[in-house]
mmCIF file of all heavy atoms in Angstrom:
data_model
loop_
_atom_site.group_PDB
_atom_site.id
_atom_site.type_symbol
_atom_site.label_atom_id
_atom_site.label_comp_id
_atom_site.label_asym_id
_atom_site.label_seq_id
_atom_site.Cartn_x
_atom_site.Cartn_y
_atom_site.Cartn_z
ATOM 1 N N GLN A 52 -11.108 13.529 -13.483
ATOM 2 C CA GLN A 52 -12.185 14.558 -13.552
ATOM 3 C C GLN A 52 -12.930 14.525 -12.191
ATOM 4 O O GLN A 52 -13.956 15.103 -12.008
ATOM 5 C CB GLN A 52 -13.146 14.275 -14.579
ATOM 6 C CG GLN A 52 -12.408 14.179 -15.959
ATOM 7 C CD GLN A 52 -13.468 14.416 -17.101
ATOM 8 O OE1 GLN A 52 -14.679 14.657 -16.859
ATOM 9 N NE2 GLN A 52 -12.945 14.357 -18.304
ATOM 10 N N ALA A 82 -30.165 9.585 -7.876
ATOM 11 C CA ALA A 82 -30.849 8.367 -8.382
ATOM 12 C C ALA A 82 -30.291 7.200 -7.524
ATOM 13 O O ALA A 82 -29.126 7.193 -7.114
ATOM 14 C CB ALA A 82 -30.714 8.142 -9.781
ATOM 15 N N PRO A 98 -35.272 8.888 -8.490
ATOM 16 C CA PRO A 98 -35.353 8.086 -9.781
ATOM 17 C C PRO A 98 -34.749 6.754 -9.658
ATOM 18 O O PRO A 98 -33.707 6.701 -8.878
ATOM 19 C CB PRO A 98 -34.716 8.984 -10.905
ATOM 20 C CG PRO A 98 -34.726 10.412 -10.282
ATOM 21 C CD PRO A 98 -34.673 10.264 -8.819
ATOM 22 N N ASP A 99 -35.232 5.760 -10.264
ATOM 23 C CA ASP A 99 -34.772 4.321 -10.093
ATOM 24 C C ASP A 99 -34.053 3.953 -11.399
ATOM 25 O O ASP A 99 -34.665 3.983 -12.481
ATOM 26 C CB ASP A 99 -35.996 3.493 -9.838
ATOM 27 C CG ASP A 99 -35.710 1.963 -9.821
ATOM 28 O OD1 ASP A 99 -34.460 1.680 -9.864
ATOM 29 O OD2 ASP A 99 -36.648 1.230 -9.856
ATOM 30 N N VAL A 100 -32.816 3.692 -11.313
ATOM 31 C CA VAL A 100 -31.984 3.297 -12.543
ATOM 32 C C VAL A 100 -32.121 1.780 -12.801
ATOM 33 O O VAL A 100 -31.578 1.249 -13.830
ATOM 34 C CB VAL A 100 -30.470 3.606 -12.469
ATOM 35 C CG1 VAL A 100 -30.339 5.005 -12.396
ATOM 36 C CG2 VAL A 100 -29.886 2.799 -11.416
ATOM 37 N N GLY A 101 -33.064 1.083 -12.079
ATOM 38 C CA GLY A 101 -33.309 -0.300 -12.486
ATOM 39 C C GLY A 101 -32.514 -1.262 -11.537
ATOM 40 O O GLY A 101 -31.783 -0.781 -10.619
ATOM 41 N N TYR A 102 -32.574 -2.565 -11.761
ATOM 42 C CA TYR A 102 -31.893 -3.563 -10.918
ATOM 43 C C TYR A 102 -30.403 -3.433 -11.179
ATOM 44 O O TYR A 102 -29.999 -3.177 -12.312
ATOM 45 C CB TYR A 102 -32.350 -4.869 -11.381
ATOM 46 C CG TYR A 102 -31.721 -5.994 -10.629
ATOM 47 C CD1 TYR A 102 -31.520 -6.116 -9.246
ATOM 48 C CD2 TYR A 102 -31.264 -7.229 -11.332
ATOM 49 C CE1 TYR A 102 -31.025 -7.119 -8.549
ATOM 50 C CE2 TYR A 102 -30.722 -8.230 -10.672
ATOM 51 C CZ TYR A 102 -30.580 -8.215 -9.286
ATOM 52 O OH TYR A 102 -30.036 -9.203 -8.596
ATOM 53 N N ARG A 104 -28.057 -5.241 -11.474
ATOM 54 C CA ARG A 104 -27.335 -6.137 -12.373
ATOM 55 C C ARG A 104 -27.847 -6.040 -13.836
ATOM 56 O O ARG A 104 -27.374 -6.890 -14.702
ATOM 57 C CB ARG A 104 -27.416 -7.579 -11.865
ATOM 58 C CG ARG A 104 -26.802 -7.695 -10.516
ATOM 59 C CD ARG A 104 -26.851 -9.040 -9.944
ATOM 60 N NE ARG A 104 -26.727 -9.058 -8.499
ATOM 61 C CZ ARG A 104 -25.480 -9.053 -7.922
ATOM 62 N NH1 ARG A 104 -24.406 -9.061 -8.573
ATOM 63 N NH2 ARG A 104 -25.485 -8.963 -6.567
ATOM 64 N N ALA A 105 -28.764 -5.144 -14.021
ATOM 65 C CA ALA A 105 -29.277 -4.986 -15.359
ATOM 66 C C ALA A 105 -29.316 -3.360 -15.656
ATOM 67 O O ALA A 105 -30.418 -2.978 -16.084
ATOM 68 C CB ALA A 105 -30.662 -5.625 -15.497
ATOM 69 N N LEU A 106 -28.252 -2.807 -15.492
ATOM 70 C CA LEU A 106 -28.144 -1.314 -15.655
ATOM 71 C C LEU A 106 -28.302 -0.904 -17.089
ATOM 72 O O LEU A 106 -27.905 -1.745 -17.962
ATOM 73 C CB LEU A 106 -26.924 -0.782 -15.032
ATOM 74 C CG LEU A 106 -26.764 -0.952 -13.521
ATOM 75 C CD1 LEU A 106 -25.399 -0.518 -13.068
ATOM 76 C CD2 LEU A 106 -27.848 -0.248 -12.794
ATOM 77 N N SER A 107 -28.694 0.198 -17.311
ATOM 78 C CA SER A 107 -28.672 0.843 -18.651
ATOM 79 C C SER A 107 -27.713 1.946 -18.630
ATOM 80 O O SER A 107 -27.743 2.904 -17.829
ATOM 81 C CB SER A 107 -30.082 1.370 -19.084
ATOM 82 O OG SER A 107 -29.885 2.507 -19.915
ATOM 83 N N ALA A 108 -26.601 1.835 -19.422
ATOM 84 C CA ALA A 108 -25.484 2.838 -19.338
ATOM 85 C C ALA A 108 -25.994 4.116 -19.595
ATOM 86 O O ALA A 108 -25.678 5.138 -18.945
ATOM 87 C CB ALA A 108 -24.359 2.395 -20.320
ATOM 88 N N GLU A 109 -26.773 4.280 -20.734
ATOM 89 C CA GLU A 109 -27.280 5.609 -21.024
ATOM 90 C C GLU A 109 -28.111 6.166 -19.957
ATOM 91 O O GLU A 109 -28.207 7.374 -19.670
ATOM 92 C CB GLU A 109 -27.888 5.587 -22.416
ATOM 93 C CG GLU A 109 -28.223 7.052 -22.827
ATOM 94 C CD GLU A 109 -28.922 7.060 -24.190
ATOM 95 O OE1 GLU A 109 -28.835 6.109 -25.029
ATOM 96 O OE2 GLU A 109 -29.549 8.105 -24.409
ATOM 97 N N GLY A 110 -28.939 5.250 -19.368
ATOM 98 C CA GLY A 110 -29.888 5.771 -18.329
ATOM 99 C C GLY A 110 -29.139 6.276 -17.140
ATOM 100 O O GLY A 110 -29.589 7.424 -16.658
ATOM 101 N N VAL A 111 -28.136 5.731 -16.808
ATOM 102 C CA VAL A 111 -27.204 6.245 -15.621
ATOM 103 C C VAL A 111 -26.618 7.600 -16.018
ATOM 104 O O VAL A 111 -26.669 8.535 -15.329
ATOM 105 C CB VAL A 111 -26.194 5.115 -15.258
ATOM 106 C CG1 VAL A 111 -25.280 5.756 -14.250
ATOM 107 C CG2 VAL A 111 -26.822 3.924 -14.634
ATOM 108 N N LEU A 112 -26.018 7.541 -17.239
ATOM 109 C CA LEU A 112 -25.276 8.794 -17.680
ATOM 110 C C LEU A 112 -26.276 9.915 -17.957
ATOM 111 O O LEU A 112 -25.919 11.050 -17.797
ATOM 112 C CB LEU A 112 -24.536 8.544 -18.909
ATOM 113 C CG LEU A 112 -23.316 7.612 -18.709
ATOM 114 C CD1 LEU A 112 -22.690 7.137 -20.048
ATOM 115 C CD2 LEU A 112 -22.306 7.960 -17.704
ATOM 116 N N ALA A 113 -27.546 9.604 -18.289
ATOM 117 C CA ALA A 113 -28.530 10.634 -18.582
ATOM 118 C C ALA A 113 -28.804 11.431 -17.421
ATOM 119 O O ALA A 113 -29.374 12.628 -17.496
ATOM 120 C CB ALA A 113 -29.822 10.043 -19.080
ATOM 121 N N LEU A 114 -28.520 11.014 -16.233
ATOM 122 C CA LEU A 114 -28.813 11.870 -14.999
ATOM 123 C C LEU A 114 -27.814 12.874 -14.789
ATOM 124 O O LEU A 114 -27.773 13.541 -13.752
ATOM 125 C CB LEU A 114 -28.901 10.932 -13.820
ATOM 126 C CG LEU A 114 -29.998 9.826 -13.912
ATOM 127 C CD1 LEU A 114 -29.705 8.579 -13.100
ATOM 128 C CD2 LEU A 114 -31.279 10.437 -13.508
ATOM 129 N N PRO A 127 -25.000 -5.197 -16.307
ATOM 130 C CA PRO A 127 -24.009 -6.232 -16.931
ATOM 131 C C PRO A 127 -22.745 -5.589 -17.278
ATOM 132 O O PRO A 127 -22.620 -4.354 -17.329
ATOM 133 C CB PRO A 127 -24.826 -6.513 -18.267
ATOM 134 C CG PRO A 127 -25.665 -5.340 -18.522
ATOM 135 C CD PRO A 127 -26.006 -4.762 -17.213
ATOM 136 N N GLU A 129 -20.936 -4.997 -19.831
ATOM 137 C CA GLU A 129 -20.899 -4.024 -20.918
ATOM 138 C C GLU A 129 -21.325 -2.758 -20.443
ATOM 139 O O GLU A 129 -20.721 -1.658 -20.803
ATOM 140 C CB GLU A 129 -21.716 -4.548 -22.194
ATOM 141 C CG GLU A 129 -21.272 -5.769 -22.823
ATOM 142 C CD GLU A 129 -22.150 -6.889 -22.270
ATOM 143 O OE1 GLU A 129 -22.767 -6.810 -21.212
ATOM 144 O OE2 GLU A 129 -22.150 -7.986 -23.034
ATOM 145 N N ALA A 130 -22.351 -2.604 -19.707
ATOM 146 C CA ALA A 130 -22.965 -1.322 -19.335
ATOM 147 C C ALA A 130 -21.971 -0.644 -18.314
ATOM 148 O O ALA A 130 -21.697 0.497 -18.395
ATOM 149 C CB ALA A 130 -24.271 -1.555 -18.662
ATOM 150 N N LEU A 133 -19.058 0.780 -20.153
ATOM 151 C CA LEU A 133 -19.432 1.992 -20.928
ATOM 152 C C LEU A 133 -19.588 3.164 -19.859
ATOM 153 O O LEU A 133 -19.114 4.261 -20.116
ATOM 154 C CB LEU A 133 -20.759 1.852 -21.606
ATOM 155 C CG LEU A 133 -20.644 1.004 -22.844
ATOM 156 C CD1 LEU A 133 -22.082 0.672 -23.351
ATOM 157 C CD2 LEU A 133 -19.928 1.710 -23.984
ATOM 158 N N ILE A 134 -20.057 2.919 -18.660
ATOM 159 C CA ILE A 134 -20.175 3.924 -17.670
ATOM 160 C C ILE A 134 -18.792 4.323 -17.257
ATOM 161 O O ILE A 134 -18.401 5.629 -17.021
ATOM 162 C CB ILE A 134 -20.950 3.409 -16.475
ATOM 163 C CG1 ILE A 134 -22.494 3.227 -16.868
ATOM 164 C CG2 ILE A 134 -20.905 4.280 -15.354
ATOM 165 C CD1 ILE A 134 -23.288 2.494 -15.795
ATOM 166 N N GLN A 136 -16.139 4.363 -19.051
ATOM 167 C CA GLN A 136 -15.478 5.145 -20.052
ATOM 168 C C GLN A 136 -16.001 6.572 -20.112
ATOM 169 O O GLN A 136 -15.273 7.320 -20.877
ATOM 170 C CB GLN A 136 -15.880 4.559 -21.395
ATOM 171 C CG GLN A 136 -15.021 3.265 -21.784
ATOM 172 C CD GLN A 136 -15.646 2.787 -23.135
ATOM 173 O OE1 GLN A 136 -16.074 3.599 -23.948
ATOM 174 N NE2 GLN A 136 -15.587 1.419 -23.368
ATOM 175 N N ALA A 137 -17.049 6.862 -19.543
ATOM 176 C CA ALA A 137 -17.776 8.186 -19.971
ATOM 177 C C ALA A 137 -17.138 9.340 -19.310
ATOM 178 O O ALA A 137 -17.652 10.470 -19.449
ATOM 179 C CB ALA A 137 -19.246 8.033 -19.609
ATOM 180 N N GLY A 138 -16.029 9.315 -18.500
ATOM 181 C CA GLY A 138 -15.444 10.482 -18.065
ATOM 182 C C GLY A 138 -16.049 11.051 -16.804
ATOM 183 O O GLY A 138 -15.753 12.172 -16.346
ATOM 184 N N VAL A 139 -17.085 10.333 -16.270
ATOM 185 C CA VAL A 139 -17.687 10.703 -14.965
ATOM 186 C C VAL A 139 -16.900 9.966 -13.937
ATOM 187 O O VAL A 139 -16.430 8.830 -14.191
ATOM 188 C CB VAL A 139 -19.195 10.324 -14.971
ATOM 189 C CG1 VAL A 139 -19.799 10.716 -13.703
ATOM 190 C CG2 VAL A 139 -19.982 10.976 -16.106
ATOM 191 N N GLY A 235 -23.152 -21.773 -1.990
ATOM 192 C CA GLY A 235 -24.191 -21.057 -2.567
ATOM 193 C C GLY A 235 -25.503 -21.474 -2.098
ATOM 194 O O GLY A 235 -25.673 -22.223 -1.169
ATOM 195 N N TYR A 236 -26.512 -20.828 -2.665
ATOM 196 C CA TYR A 236 -27.951 -21.270 -2.417
ATOM 197 C C TYR A 236 -28.368 -22.448 -3.159
ATOM 198 O O TYR A 236 -28.173 -22.489 -4.355
ATOM 199 C CB TYR A 236 -28.845 -20.136 -2.596
ATOM 200 C CG TYR A 236 -28.792 -18.967 -1.646
ATOM 201 C CD1 TYR A 236 -28.003 -17.835 -2.001
ATOM 202 C CD2 TYR A 236 -29.463 -19.036 -0.423
ATOM 203 C CE1 TYR A 236 -27.823 -16.827 -1.009
ATOM 204 C CE2 TYR A 236 -29.215 -17.950 0.469
ATOM 205 C CZ TYR A 236 -28.512 -16.921 0.083
ATOM 206 O OH TYR A 236 -28.390 -15.815 1.048
ATOM 207 N N LYS A 237 -28.864 -23.565 -2.543
ATOM 208 C CA LYS A 237 -29.223 -24.752 -3.245
ATOM 209 C C LYS A 237 -30.589 -25.240 -2.778
ATOM 210 O O LYS A 237 -30.859 -25.105 -1.593
ATOM 211 C CB LYS A 237 -28.221 -25.869 -2.966
ATOM 212 C CG LYS A 237 -26.853 -25.644 -3.794
ATOM 213 C CD LYS A 237 -27.000 -26.235 -5.224
ATOM 214 C CE LYS A 237 -26.131 -25.623 -6.307
ATOM 215 N NZ LYS A 237 -24.896 -24.871 -5.879
ATOM 216 N N VAL B 46 -32.845 9.815 -29.859
ATOM 217 C CA VAL B 46 -33.745 9.615 -28.660
ATOM 218 C C VAL B 46 -33.239 8.621 -27.700
ATOM 219 O O VAL B 46 -32.643 7.583 -28.014
ATOM 220 C CB VAL B 46 -35.113 9.047 -29.211
ATOM 221 C CG1 VAL B 46 -36.017 8.763 -27.943
ATOM 222 C CG2 VAL B 46 -35.682 9.926 -30.203
ATOM 223 N N GLY B 47 -33.236 9.000 -26.371
ATOM 224 C CA GLY B 47 -32.778 8.185 -25.321
ATOM 225 C C GLY B 47 -32.995 8.835 -24.051
ATOM 226 O O GLY B 47 -33.368 9.986 -24.011
ATOM 227 N N PRO B 48 -32.663 8.138 -22.961
ATOM 228 C CA PRO B 48 -32.914 8.798 -21.647
ATOM 229 C C PRO B 48 -32.054 10.079 -21.452
ATOM 230 O O PRO B 48 -32.349 10.946 -20.746
ATOM 231 C CB PRO B 48 -32.448 7.697 -20.622
ATOM 232 C CG PRO B 48 -31.804 6.718 -21.403
ATOM 233 C CD PRO B 48 -32.346 6.736 -22.828
ATOM 234 N N ALA B 49 -30.929 10.216 -22.192
ATOM 235 C CA ALA B 49 -30.124 11.386 -22.103
ATOM 236 C C ALA B 49 -30.619 12.315 -23.175
ATOM 237 O O ALA B 49 -30.712 11.961 -24.350
ATOM 238 C CB ALA B 49 -28.548 11.028 -22.360
ATOM 239 N N MET B 50 -31.129 13.476 -22.578
ATOM 240 C CA MET B 50 -31.654 14.419 -23.508
ATOM 241 C C MET B 50 -30.501 15.161 -24.274
ATOM 242 O O MET B 50 -29.873 16.081 -23.757
ATOM 243 C CB MET B 50 -32.441 15.481 -22.747
ATOM 244 C CG MET B 50 -33.614 14.879 -22.109
ATOM 245 S SD MET B 50 -34.869 14.245 -23.294
ATOM 246 C CE MET B 50 -36.020 13.453 -22.192
ATOM 247 N N LEU B 71 -17.239 14.410 -22.610
ATOM 248 C CA LEU B 71 -16.968 13.063 -22.936
ATOM 249 C C LEU B 71 -18.077 12.178 -22.638
ATOM 250 O O LEU B 71 -18.289 11.229 -23.492
ATOM 251 C CB LEU B 71 -15.739 12.631 -21.846
ATOM 252 C CG LEU B 71 -15.276 11.243 -21.983
ATOM 253 C CD1 LEU B 71 -14.818 10.913 -23.409
ATOM 254 C CD2 LEU B 71 -14.057 11.066 -21.033
ATOM 255 N N ALA B 72 -18.931 12.333 -21.717
ATOM 256 C CA ALA B 72 -19.992 11.520 -21.485
ATOM 257 C C ALA B 72 -20.980 11.525 -22.637
ATOM 258 O O ALA B 72 -21.489 10.479 -23.070
ATOM 259 C CB ALA B 72 -20.806 11.993 -20.121
ATOM 260 N N ASP B 73 -21.264 12.689 -23.325
ATOM 261 C CA ASP B 73 -22.106 12.733 -24.439
ATOM 262 C C ASP B 73 -21.561 11.987 -25.558
ATOM 263 O O ASP B 73 -22.150 11.356 -26.227
ATOM 264 C CB ASP B 73 -22.355 14.263 -24.837
ATOM 265 C CG ASP B 73 -23.267 14.909 -23.765
ATOM 266 O OD1 ASP B 73 -23.790 14.230 -22.865
ATOM 267 O OD2 ASP B 73 -23.411 16.183 -23.849
ATOM 268 N N VAL B 75 -19.464 9.546 -25.393
ATOM 269 C CA VAL B 75 -19.602 8.038 -25.155
ATOM 270 C C VAL B 75 -21.012 7.682 -25.425
ATOM 271 O O VAL B 75 -21.264 6.538 -26.031
ATOM 272 C CB VAL B 75 -19.195 7.763 -23.718
ATOM 273 C CG1 VAL B 75 -19.623 6.326 -23.270
ATOM 274 C CG2 VAL B 75 -17.720 7.872 -23.495
ATOM 275 N N ILE B 76 -21.986 8.472 -25.102
ATOM 276 C CA ILE B 76 -23.479 8.104 -25.349
ATOM 277 C C ILE B 76 -23.680 7.936 -26.742
ATOM 278 O O ILE B 76 -24.249 6.933 -27.267
ATOM 279 C CB ILE B 76 -24.330 9.085 -24.575
ATOM 280 C CG1 ILE B 76 -24.399 9.006 -23.069
ATOM 281 C CG2 ILE B 76 -25.769 8.939 -25.162
ATOM 282 C CD1 ILE B 76 -25.150 10.038 -22.472
ATOM 283 N N GLN B 79 -20.361 5.251 -28.334
ATOM 284 C CA GLN B 79 -20.211 3.924 -27.785
ATOM 285 C C GLN B 79 -21.542 3.277 -27.358
ATOM 286 O O GLN B 79 -21.552 2.113 -27.149
ATOM 287 C CB GLN B 79 -19.273 4.014 -26.573
ATOM 288 C CG GLN B 79 -17.965 4.751 -26.711
ATOM 289 C CD GLN B 79 -17.090 4.000 -27.821
ATOM 290 O OE1 GLN B 79 -17.163 2.860 -27.994
ATOM 291 N NE2 GLN B 79 -16.265 4.781 -28.484
ATOM 292 N N ILE B 80 -22.524 4.072 -27.150
ATOM 293 C CA ILE B 80 -23.726 3.469 -26.774
ATOM 294 C C ILE B 80 -24.858 3.433 -27.885
ATOM 295 O O ILE B 80 -25.273 2.383 -28.333
ATOM 296 C CB ILE B 80 -24.404 4.168 -25.522
ATOM 297 C CG1 ILE B 80 -23.361 4.104 -24.348
ATOM 298 C CG2 ILE B 80 -25.777 3.615 -25.142
ATOM 299 C CD1 ILE B 80 -23.723 4.767 -23.177
ATOM 300 N N ARG B 81 -25.218 4.621 -28.440
ATOM 301 C CA ARG B 81 -26.242 4.661 -29.277
ATOM 302 C C ARG B 81 -25.900 4.065 -30.648
ATOM 303 O O ARG B 81 -26.695 3.424 -31.349
ATOM 304 C CB ARG B 81 -26.845 6.039 -29.472
ATOM 305 C CG ARG B 81 -27.551 6.484 -28.241
ATOM 306 C CD ARG B 81 -28.374 7.818 -28.475
ATOM 307 N NE ARG B 81 -28.916 8.317 -27.240
ATOM 308 C CZ ARG B 81 -29.351 9.491 -27.121
ATOM 309 N NH1 ARG B 81 -29.405 10.413 -28.076
ATOM 310 N NH2 ARG B 81 -29.898 9.969 -25.929
ATOM 311 N N ARG B 84 -25.603 0.455 -30.811
ATOM 312 C CA ARG B 84 -26.895 -0.173 -30.559
ATOM 313 C C ARG B 84 -27.815 -0.036 -31.690
ATOM 314 O O ARG B 84 -28.656 -0.879 -31.948
ATOM 315 C CB ARG B 84 -27.412 0.586 -29.224
ATOM 316 C CG ARG B 84 -28.710 0.094 -28.726
ATOM 317 C CD ARG B 84 -29.062 0.760 -27.450
ATOM 318 N NE ARG B 84 -30.188 0.155 -26.921
ATOM 319 C CZ ARG B 84 -30.503 0.174 -25.597
ATOM 320 N NH1 ARG B 84 -29.737 0.638 -24.777
ATOM 321 N NH2 ARG B 84 -31.568 -0.408 -25.217
ATOM 322 N N PHE B 199 -29.707 -24.809 -13.916
ATOM 323 C CA PHE B 199 -29.431 -25.550 -12.631
ATOM 324 C C PHE B 199 -28.006 -25.535 -12.163
ATOM 325 O O PHE B 199 -27.703 -25.440 -10.993
ATOM 326 C CB PHE B 199 -30.037 -26.977 -12.753
ATOM 327 C CG PHE B 199 -29.707 -27.823 -11.576
ATOM 328 C CD1 PHE B 199 -30.436 -27.659 -10.443
ATOM 329 C CD2 PHE B 199 -28.793 -28.800 -11.767
ATOM 330 C CE1 PHE B 199 -30.083 -28.473 -9.266
ATOM 331 C CE2 PHE B 199 -28.471 -29.651 -10.632
ATOM 332 C CZ PHE B 199 -29.181 -29.431 -9.438
ATOM 333 N N ASP B 203 -24.556 -18.188 -9.122
ATOM 334 C CA ASP B 203 -25.515 -16.970 -9.006
ATOM 335 C C ASP B 203 -25.191 -15.936 -10.121
ATOM 336 O O ASP B 203 -26.170 -15.363 -10.676
ATOM 337 C CB ASP B 203 -25.337 -16.415 -7.614
ATOM 338 C CG ASP B 203 -25.956 -17.274 -6.519
ATOM 339 O OD1 ASP B 203 -26.374 -18.349 -6.967
ATOM 340 O OD2 ASP B 203 -25.898 -16.801 -5.396
ATOM 341 N N ASP B 204 -23.890 -15.717 -10.424
ATOM 342 C CA ASP B 204 -23.619 -14.631 -11.399
ATOM 343 C C ASP B 204 -24.130 -15.017 -12.764
ATOM 344 O O ASP B 204 -24.763 -14.306 -13.535
ATOM 345 C CB ASP B 204 -22.171 -14.302 -11.425
ATOM 346 C CG ASP B 204 -21.733 -13.432 -10.333
ATOM 347 O OD1 ASP B 204 -22.693 -12.671 -9.848
ATOM 348 O OD2 ASP B 204 -20.542 -13.232 -9.952
ATOM 349 N N ARG B 207 -27.911 -14.839 -13.141
ATOM 350 C CA ARG B 207 -28.376 -13.503 -13.460
ATOM 351 C C ARG B 207 -28.216 -13.145 -14.882
ATOM 352 O O ARG B 207 -29.068 -12.647 -15.575
ATOM 353 C CB ARG B 207 -27.820 -12.413 -12.536
ATOM 354 C CG ARG B 207 -28.394 -12.468 -11.182
ATOM 355 C CD ARG B 207 -27.878 -11.420 -10.368
ATOM 356 N NE ARG B 207 -26.546 -11.803 -9.859
ATOM 357 C CZ ARG B 207 -26.336 -12.093 -8.505
ATOM 358 N NH1 ARG B 207 -27.391 -12.248 -7.706
ATOM 359 N NH2 ARG B 207 -25.177 -12.477 -8.097
ATOM 360 N N PHE B 211 -31.445 -12.334 -17.578
ATOM 361 C CA PHE B 211 -31.666 -11.030 -18.384
ATOM 362 C C PHE B 211 -31.428 -11.323 -19.844
ATOM 363 O O PHE B 211 -32.139 -10.719 -20.703
ATOM 364 C CB PHE B 211 -30.835 -9.939 -17.797
ATOM 365 C CG PHE B 211 -31.384 -9.447 -16.481
ATOM 366 C CD1 PHE B 211 -30.857 -9.856 -15.350
ATOM 367 C CD2 PHE B 211 -32.569 -8.659 -16.525
ATOM 368 C CE1 PHE B 211 -31.392 -9.343 -14.168
ATOM 369 C CE2 PHE B 211 -33.080 -8.269 -15.431
ATOM 370 C CZ PHE B 211 -32.588 -8.593 -14.170
ATOM 371 N N GLY B 218 -29.440 -3.580 -24.811
ATOM 372 C CA GLY B 218 -28.565 -2.791 -23.869
ATOM 373 C C GLY B 218 -27.114 -3.063 -23.895
ATOM 374 O O GLY B 218 -26.319 -2.181 -23.564
ATOM 375 N N GLY B 219 -26.753 -4.357 -24.142
ATOM 376 C CA GLY B 219 -25.370 -4.706 -24.138
ATOM 377 C C GLY B 219 -24.606 -4.440 -25.478
ATOM 378 O O GLY B 219 -23.539 -4.931 -25.644
ATOM 379 N N ALA B 220 -25.217 -3.660 -26.336
ATOM 380 C CA ALA B 220 -24.661 -3.479 -27.657
ATOM 381 C C ALA B 220 -23.282 -2.779 -27.455
ATOM 382 O O ALA B 220 -23.254 -1.623 -26.880
ATOM 383 C CB ALA B 220 -25.540 -2.668 -28.391
ATOM 384 N N THR B 221 -22.310 -3.297 -28.056
ATOM 385 C CA THR B 221 -20.967 -2.666 -28.088
ATOM 386 C C THR B 221 -20.454 -2.938 -29.468
ATOM 387 O O THR B 221 -20.832 -3.739 -30.251
ATOM 388 C CB THR B 221 -19.920 -3.224 -27.072
ATOM 389 O OG1 THR B 221 -19.780 -4.629 -27.201
ATOM 390 C CG2 THR B 221 -20.472 -2.954 -25.620
ATOM 391 N N LYS B 224 -19.454 -6.518 -29.799
ATOM 392 C CA LYS B 224 -20.574 -7.321 -30.133
ATOM 393 C C LYS B 224 -21.065 -7.265 -31.439
ATOM 394 O O LYS B 224 -21.415 -8.328 -32.139
ATOM 395 C CB LYS B 224 -21.755 -6.904 -29.128
ATOM 396 C CG LYS B 224 -22.350 -8.154 -28.462
ATOM 397 C CD LYS B 224 -23.327 -7.718 -27.436
ATOM 398 C CE LYS B 224 -23.402 -8.628 -26.316
ATOM 399 N NZ LYS B 224 -24.488 -8.298 -25.350
ATOM 400 N N ARG B 330 -35.915 1.808 -23.998
ATOM 401 C CA ARG B 330 -34.978 2.540 -23.102
ATOM 402 C C ARG B 330 -35.502 3.858 -22.552
ATOM 403 O O ARG B 330 -34.886 4.507 -21.879
ATOM 404 C CB ARG B 330 -33.681 2.743 -23.991
ATOM 405 C CG ARG B 330 -33.756 3.604 -25.150
ATOM 406 C CD ARG B 330 -32.583 3.413 -26.007
ATOM 407 N NE ARG B 330 -32.368 4.436 -26.950
ATOM 408 C CZ ARG B 330 -31.901 4.243 -28.248
ATOM 409 N NH1 ARG B 330 -31.481 3.092 -28.549
ATOM 410 N NH2 ARG B 330 -31.697 5.281 -28.980
ATOM 411 N N VAL B 333 -39.200 3.446 -19.161
ATOM 412 C CA VAL B 333 -39.030 3.456 -17.685
ATOM 413 C C VAL B 333 -37.617 4.111 -17.284
ATOM 414 O O VAL B 333 -37.077 3.767 -16.312
ATOM 415 C CB VAL B 333 -39.058 1.985 -17.174
ATOM 416 C CG1 VAL B 333 -40.493 1.367 -17.273
ATOM 417 C CG2 VAL B 333 -37.998 1.049 -17.816
ATOM 418 N N ALA B 334 -37.060 4.944 -18.158
ATOM 419 C CA ALA B 334 -35.859 5.541 -17.963
ATOM 420 C C ALA B 334 -35.838 6.222 -16.515
ATOM 421 O O ALA B 334 -36.828 6.704 -16.035
ATOM 422 C CB ALA B 334 -35.658 6.657 -18.919
ATOM 423 N N PRO B 335 -34.636 6.216 -15.889
ATOM 424 C CA PRO B 335 -33.350 5.716 -16.381
ATOM 425 C C PRO B 335 -33.132 4.167 -16.317
ATOM 426 O O PRO B 335 -32.023 3.811 -16.751
ATOM 427 C CB PRO B 335 -32.430 6.381 -15.320
ATOM 428 C CG PRO B 335 -33.174 6.592 -14.175
ATOM 429 C CD PRO B 335 -34.595 6.811 -14.501
ATOM 430 N N ALA B 336 -34.201 3.473 -15.971
ATOM 431 C CA ALA B 336 -33.971 2.019 -16.131
ATOM 432 C C ALA B 336 -34.322 1.615 -17.550
ATOM 433 O O ALA B 336 -34.673 2.392 -18.373
ATOM 434 C CB ALA B 336 -34.825 1.299 -15.092
ATOM 435 N N GLU B 337 -34.229 0.277 -17.856
ATOM 436 C CA GLU B 337 -34.444 -0.091 -19.227
ATOM 437 C C GLU B 337 -35.305 -1.434 -19.158
ATOM 438 O O GLU B 337 -35.030 -2.306 -18.460
ATOM 439 C CB GLU B 337 -33.163 -0.264 -19.872
ATOM 440 C CG GLU B 337 -33.129 -0.611 -21.291
ATOM 441 C CD GLU B 337 -31.739 -0.656 -21.906
ATOM 442 O OE1 GLU B 337 -31.108 0.419 -21.661
ATOM 443 O OE2 GLU B 337 -31.464 -1.555 -22.594
#
Side-chain angles (χ1 to χ4, degrees):
Chain A
Q52 306 199 2
D99 171 11
V100 298
Y102 179 46
R104 300 182 199 275
L106 297 172
S107 150
E109 191 181 335
V111 171
L112 295 174
L114 298 155
E129 296 97 339
L133 287 169
I134 291 171
Q136 281 174 33
V139 178
Y236 288 96
K237 284 275 156 11
Chain B
V46 178
M50 295 294 173
L71 180 56
D73 290 351
V75 167
I76 286 175
Q79 308 297 333
I80 298 179
R81 286 191 190 167
R84 186 171 182 155
F199 169 75
D203 288 5
D204 277 341
R207 282 186 280 257
F211 286 101
T221 56
K224 227 176 214 188
R330 64 196 197 215
V333 296
E337 188 170 310

